[in-house]
Amino acid sequence: MSGVLEDAVLGSARASGDNRKRAIGRRLTILNRLFRNNFDRLAARLNVTRSQWSMIAVVNRQPGATQRTIAEALEMSEASAGRLIDRLCVDGLLERKDRDDDRRARAVYLTEAAEPLLARLAELAAVAEERTFQGFSEDELQTLGEFVDRLYANALKG
């Protein structure tokens, strides 16, 4: 988001008397979008879309997850997740395997062919993180992490 547009969005919140919490919430929403968009631009160099890198990341964190579990993690329909899994299976990055505990469900795993892509995505994530947190001391990052942990815990309470 350009500085002018961001100032318009956040400035109007301040001018209209919105409280500090609302302004912070808006800023966090904008930051989240900026983080994703910046990473998308980096990942585009690898010819990987947000849907694809997100799927690969979820399967990497939850090897053997079902399509339903993956869909929930990505906040998408099971049908959409299934199509994306199918596409990544055709591309040789994911594979489905039968589950011993449930013959109806199939587990999804990364293939060896996905490992180099996962490594490159991790490198790009490190670049994005360095850009995002430049100028922060270790103490500031520690404090910020504690604040974010508290926000996260509060958000989980719903």
Side-chain angles (χ1 to χ4, degrees):
M1 178 177 282
S2 73
V4 172
L5 182 55
E6 183 178 347
D7 287 344
V9 170
L10 296 173
S12 65
R14 289 184 201 107
S16 68
D18 280 1
N19 64 33
R20 181 176 305 276
K21 292 173 187 172
R22 179 145 324 143
I24 291 169
R26 286 183 179 147
R27 180 68 57 106
L28 289 171
T29 298
I30 292 166
L31 278 171
N32 184 39
R33 186 171 41 250
L34 288 170
F35 290 157
R36 284 192 322 263
N37 290 343
N38 289 339
F39 189 78
D40 285 347
R41 280 192 288 283
L42 292 172
R45 298 176 189 171
L46 303 176
N47 295 319
V48 179
T49 66
R50 178 182 298 168
S51 296
Q52 292 169 329
W53 66 254
S54 297
M55 174 74 68
I56 290 166
V58 167
V59 174
N60 182 57
R61 283 191 306 269
Q62 299 177 28
T66 63
Q67 181 174 312
R68 173 175 289 151
T69 302
I70 294 167
E72 289 170 359
L74 294 173
E75 297 179 348
M76 63 173 41
S77 71
E78 280 189 62
S80 294
R83 286 189 295 274
L84 184 55
I85 292 167
D86 289 343
R87 178 74 246 159
L88 291 170
C89 285
V90 168
D91 292 345
L93 300 172
L94 297 181
E95 63 184 342
R96 295 179 193 261
K97 294 181 181 177
D98 292 331
R99 291 177 52 122
D100 294 332
D101 61 334
D102 184 350
R103 288 184 293 162
R104 296 167 297 158
R106 304 208 53 212
V108 181
Y109 295 90
L110 292 178
T111 64
E112 285 186 34
E115 295 301 325
L117 176 59
L118 193 60
R120 285 291 295 135
L121 288 168
E123 291 170 9
L124 293 177
V127 167
E129 290 160 0
E130 282 303 312
R131 287 181 188 166
T132 299
F133 296 106
Q134 66 186 353
F136 282 82
S137 70
E138 285 302 315
D139 287 344
E140 289 171 325
L141 288 172
Q142 177 69 32
T143 300
L144 178 59
E146 291 167 4
F147 290 156
V148 170
D149 288 346
R150 284 171 44 198
L151 288 168
Y152 186 77
N154 290 342
L156 286 176
K157 293 176 189 174

